[in-house]
Each structure stands twice: as structure tokens, then as C-alpha cells.
Amino acid sequence: MSRRVVRQSKFRHVFGQAAKADQTYEDIRVSKVTWDSSFCAVNPKFLAIIVEAGGGGAFIVLTLAKTGRVDKNFPLVTGHTAPVLDIDWCPHNDNVIASASDDTTIMVWQIPDYTPVRNITEPVITLEGHSKRVGIITWHPTARNVLLSAGGDNVIIIWNVGTGEVLLSLDDLHPDVIHSVCWNSNGSLLATTCKDKTLRIIDPRKSQVVAERARPHEGARPLRAVFTADGKLLSTGFSRMSERQLALWDPNNFEEPVALQEMDTSNGVLLPFYDPDSSIVYLCGKGDSSIRYFEITDEPPFVHYLNTFSSKEPQRGMGFMPKRGLDVSKCEIARFYKLHERKCEPIIMTVPRKSDLFQDDLYPDTPGPEPALEAEEWMSGQDAEPVLISLRDGYVPPKHRELRVTKRNILDVRPPSGPRRSQSSSDAPLSQHTVETLLEEIKALRERVQAQEQRITALENMLCELVDGTD
């Protein structure tokens, strides 16, 4: 009699649990807009949720610790003249968030660490360039102040938020409404899905499609796609019989999927949340009351079903915490913020372990808050992987940093006369912005050195204690 071999994986027993009632956020009027975005964005400091608001669009920003009932007069972030459709926290500054709206604009906001007394109504900058509503925004994973937006005008615009300029406008690559856009790990490529049922991989700086697959899923409902850590693509969609599917693709061979998983029959679009550190993809359907999760591996069948977290109430939207916001002491490998009609409920995914020690295998070094490139470097063709940090001692957020916007003089559009030459320090004074940037970098480096010295001292003290103990 042949014995069935059970696949070895440290994530076979990922355990999902909803937070206790006193850890939820109550009395929040979650937006009722019919748009397939997650309506929620979270980082190690704040939770932001798009809410119902009269006379325009608004979202609420709560510190993570502010659980319980939210006062109905709690200050909102209001500035848009039509509903907010998408929000995204800057990966390199936990106090900066961007919002996209039906009013065709994108606004970038600086959120203070303290709770404001009244509504925040003044964005740091407003970005105007789309002719129809803007439904998708996403920050570049490694370059500072680079933000992507996609609108109902079928155009993708990439902005330099630090200057308010359009870096790139991709306006002839999509013939219909764009459903999703995702950067790869170093921000050199984009994966997009479109109403024309085509999955595209785009090199934004060359403004060209480098690979595409028509009808990766046969069904008529919208597709979603995300890059995996090794450059493959995960797509979610529907079969011809309206069964929901998850497919894994190799962009070098788009003919057949590497793997295809069929799930259930439902109308809800599956939002994929991919964790590159564990290679787990979590699928959250709008209107579902469950989260399915799969492990992606290098050996067949490549996509392995792990488990399903089920609850009673359907989800209106979902926020996904970056790795640096998790509690490593509890072996927490993912945390979701599930939106109900009137509340937000954290859902914690853990891998049970007996030891209290730091679990190296669960927590490889993960992207930290430092950008690897400046916007100008990325535009010039440079690529860099994210700057990684260790979670061994937990994550300590950096001090509050201001987002500085230095708008160019748009009236002075004269082309430079003669061949361009680099200015030396002897013939060009440093601009005030350059001086401030250099001073800030020096200050940040000093703080980093100081933190390292403190760490060295702590380790030396531990070593002394250990030596004394053995004596």
C-alpha cells in the first residue's frame, strides 16, 4: 500500500484569528462606492479607511493604537470634490499618504503623529493630469517620491511628487479601462490588467509593452495581477463558467500558465495580496467572508493551497500590513484589516512555534523605509532592489519626516543654450533645496550611526553578562 507523502512546508499550519472585540475600530462609515479597490491602507503607524462623506470625498486616518469606538466628529482628511477611490501609504515615509478621486485629481497628504483637532483639508500637493476619474494609485517600491496613477482615461501617469512634475505618461498602451497595476520588486516593470482582457508587462521608461497575454482567464469579470519575488506573475480571474481562478505565469513563456487553481463560483473580484518574504499569496474576495491563502514554490505543482480563514460577515475591503509592522514575538506573518459596513477588524495570521526566540526562517530581511534611489536616478535608467532591514529586535519607526515639495518655475521654459555641462562648485552656488537635502542626509546618517553605536553597546553588555554568568 503506497503511503501519501505530506509536503514539507513551514507554512502548512498558518493560523488565522480575528482580533478581540476591544481591538477593533467601531463606528466607521465605510464608503459605499462601487469600485474594486481595497478602500483601506495601513502601515506601522496608521490605519486609513475611505469613508462616506457628504459633499465630496474623504478618508479617516487613525493611529493603530486608537481602537474601540471612533467619535462621529473625528477629524477626516477632506479635500477632494468627489468620492475617493483609492489610497496608498508612501513606503518610504509613514506620515505620507496619497489619495485618488473621482474628481480626476491625486492629492498627497502629510499626516501628523498627533490627532488633529479639525479636518485636514490642505494637501502637500495636488497632481492634475488625468481627464477622467483616477481609480488606481501605487508608490514606486524603491525610488523616493515616485507615484503612479491610472485613470478612467486609460492613461498611466508616473509623477515626481517632490516637484509635482509628470515623469512619464503612458497614454497609448491600453485601449480600455485599466483594472489593476503592480510594480515588480525593484520598480523596473509594471504588470497591468485591462478591460480588454489582456495581461501586459510594461517597461514604463521605454513606454512599451515587453510581453502580453490575451485572455489569461476566459471569463468576462475583471482580472487582477501581481508580480512574485522571482519575476513571475500571479493573476486572478474567472473561467468561462464563472469559476474563480488563480494562475501563475512565466513572462518568458506566456502560452500556458505554470499552474492554475480553480476555486468556487462567485461574483466577487479576488484581490491578491502577495508576501514576497514567505511567497504566500492571500486572496480576499469583495463580498466574501473568507481569506484563502496559497504558497508559491519552485517545484510542481508550484501553487499549493494552504488553508482558508472564514468568518461570518462579508468584507467590504481589506488592508494589508507591511512586514515591518508585524509582531515578530508572536510569530505573526501577516495582518489584515477587514472592513465591515460599520467597523474595521484586524485579522492576524501566525505560524505557531514553541520557542520564544526570534524565528529567522519566518522573518528574512525585509524592505525598510529607506528608498534605494532618487526619482532622477530611476528616470535615468538605474534600478535597485529595496533596502532591507532585519526584524530581529522588532521594527522601530524613524522620526517624523516632512515631505518637501519644490515646484519648478513653469514660466521659465527656455531650453538651455549650448551643450550642457556639469556645474562645478566654483561656478554655481548650491540651491537652497540641495543644501537642505544634504543637511537632512547628514542628520539621518548621524542618527543611524548613533543607533548602531547603541546597538553595539547593548550587545557588549549582553556579552559581559553572559561571561559573568558562566564564571
Side-chain angles (χ1 to χ4, degrees):
M1 192 170 74
S2 63
R3 287 178 60 193
R4 190 160 163 264
V5 178
V6 177
R7 187 180 68 90
Q8 285 294 311
S9 169
K10 55 182 175 266
F11 300 114
R12 269 183 53 226
H13 303 292
V14 175
F15 176 64
Q17 190 170 26
K20 294 184 173 68
D22 61 346
Q23 294 299 306
T24 61
Y25 306 83
E26 303 271 353
D27 260 15
I28 297 168
R29 294 187 306 149
V30 177
S31 173
K32 292 185 172 69
V33 174
T34 54
W35 184 252
D36 284 328
S37 82
S38 55
F39 285 3
C40 179
V42 62
N43 71 18
K45 279 186 177 183
F46 298 108
L47 167 67
I49 300 167
I50 301 174
V51 293
E52 285 287 291
F59 59 98
I60 191 168
V61 177
L62 305 166
T63 56
L64 288 188
K66 188 166 178 52
T67 53
R69 194 172 294 280
V70 177
D71 190 312
K72 68 176 189 297
N73 297 318
F74 192 89
L76 303 175
V77 182
T78 60
H80 288 288
T81 56
V84 176
L85 301 178
D86 200 11
I87 48 177
D88 195 28
W89 286 105
C90 175
H92 307 126
N93 188 334
D94 286 343
N95 293 78
V96 171
I97 188 169
S99 58
S101 168
D102 215 331
D103 67 9
T104 77
T105 67
I106 301 112
M107 293 183 179
V108 180
W109 309 84
Q110 181 97 30
I111 306 297
D113 285 331
Y114 58 86
T115 301
V117 181
R118 53 181 68 86
N119 287 353
I120 299 173
T121 56
E122 290 297 321
V124 180
I125 191 167
T126 301
L127 305 171
E128 299 179 27
H130 287 282
S131 60
K132 292 186 179 174
R133 70 180 181 182
V134 187
I136 299 167
I137 44 170
T138 175
W139 291 89
H140 192 285
T142 62
R144 190 197 308 272
N145 292 342
V146 175
L147 179 68
L148 177 149
S149 62
D153 49 9
N154 314 338
V155 175
I156 290 175
I157 299 179
I158 298 174
W159 310 82
N160 182 347
V161 173
T163 61
E165 292 176 303
V166 173
L167 293 175
L168 295 162
S169 181
L170 312 177
D171 48 13
D172 52 0
L173 301 181
H174 297 88
D176 213 326
V177 177
I178 299 160
H179 285 148
S180 74
V181 182
C182 173
W183 296 97
N184 66 348
S185 63
N186 67 0
S188 59
L189 295 172
L190 297 171
T192 68
T193 60
C194 178
K195 197 175 178 182
D196 72 346
K197 302 284 173 293
T198 303
L199 170 59
R200 294 174 175 84
I201 297 178
I202 294 168
D203 184 330
R205 287 167 298 194
K206 291 181 181 170
S207 297
Q208 68 183 42
V209 176
V210 293
E212 64 181 4
R213 174 68 163 82
R215 302 191 80 86
H217 300 272
E218 292 290 330
R221 305 266 304 138
L223 311 169
R224 284 279 188 284
V226 291
F227 275 103
T228 64
D230 60 358
K232 289 191 177 70
L233 274 172
L234 283 163
S235 66
T236 62
F238 295 79
S239 72
R240 204 174 257 136
M241 307 300 290
S242 289
E243 282 183 312
R244 295 196 290 191
Q245 298 176 323
L246 170 68
L248 179 67
W249 301 90
D250 181 352
N252 299 317
N253 180 13
F254 251 152
E255 287 304 306
E256 289 293 322
V258 177
L260 183 69
Q261 282 266 357
E262 296 210 332
M263 280 164 277
D264 57 0
T265 307
S266 174
N267 287 336
V269 173
L270 286 168
L271 305 177
F273 295 94
Y274 174 72
D275 174 14
D277 296 346
S278 61
S279 260
I280 295 177
V281 63
Y282 301 86
L283 303 182
C284 308
K286 274 208 148 183
D288 286 12
S289 53
S290 62
I291 302 171
R292 288 181 181 78
Y293 37 106
F294 298 80
E295 187 177 0
I296 314 300
T297 63
D298 294 333
E299 67 275 349
F302 303 107
V303 176
H304 306 268
Y305 170 74
L306 292 174
N307 210 336
T308 301
F309 167 82
S310 296
S311 52
K312 288 177 184 167
E313 295 181 61
Q315 54 234 16
R316 299 283 296 275
M318 197 69 85
F320 188 48
M321 175 67 83
K323 217 37 170 281
R324 55 195 173 89
L326 303 180
D327 187 344
V328 298
S329 67
K330 292 180 180 163
C331 295
E332 183 183 10
I333 63 160
R335 191 189 312 154
F336 290 90
Y337 285 76
K338 173 179 169 175
L339 300 186
H340 299 243
E341 202 166 318
R342 298 282 304 191
K343 72 172 182 179
C344 176
E345 173 187 48
I347 293 167
I348 292 148
M349 302 282 183
T350 53
V351 176
R353 292 276 169 97
K354 289 177 181 171
S355 169
D356 289 336
L357 296 174
F358 178 73
Q359 305 294 315
D360 297 81
D361 61 328
L362 295 184
Y363 302 105
D365 288 356
T366 196
E370 285 302 315
L373 294 170
E374 296 299 326
E376 296 77 12
E377 293 173 319
W378 179 76
M379 270 304 290
S380 72
Q382 291 185 47
D383 289 317
E385 292 300 320
V387 179
L388 303 181
I389 57 168
S390 168
L391 297 177
R392 181 171 287 276
D393 298 315
Y395 170 68
V396 181
K399 290 193 176 76
H400 180 92
R401 289 183 295 184
E402 290 286 323
L403 170 65
R404 285 213 169 82
V405 175
T406 53
K407 286 206 172 180
R408 305 273 166 89
N409 182 354
I410 55 169
L411 299 175
D412 187 13
V413 289
R414 292 168 299 177
S417 56
R420 288 186 63 178
R421 63 193 182 94
S422 61
Q423 294 179 317
S424 66
S425 54
S426 58
D427 64 357
L430 283 171
S431 71
Q432 185 63 28
H433 172 61
T434 311
V435 171
E436 284 175 0
T437 307
L438 288 171
L439 285 171
E440 276 199 350
E441 280 192 24
I442 291 165
K443 187 181 169 189
L445 281 168
R446 282 208 176 112
E447 284 176 359
R448 220 179 298 166
V449 169
Q450 200 175 344
Q452 296 286 2
E453 284 172 348
Q454 287 172 353
R455 176 90 181 114
I456 289 166
T457 308
L459 288 170
E460 284 173 344
N461 291 341
M462 280 171 65
L463 189 62
C464 291
E465 285 172 18
L466 284 168
V467 171
D468 292 346
T470 51
D471 289 345

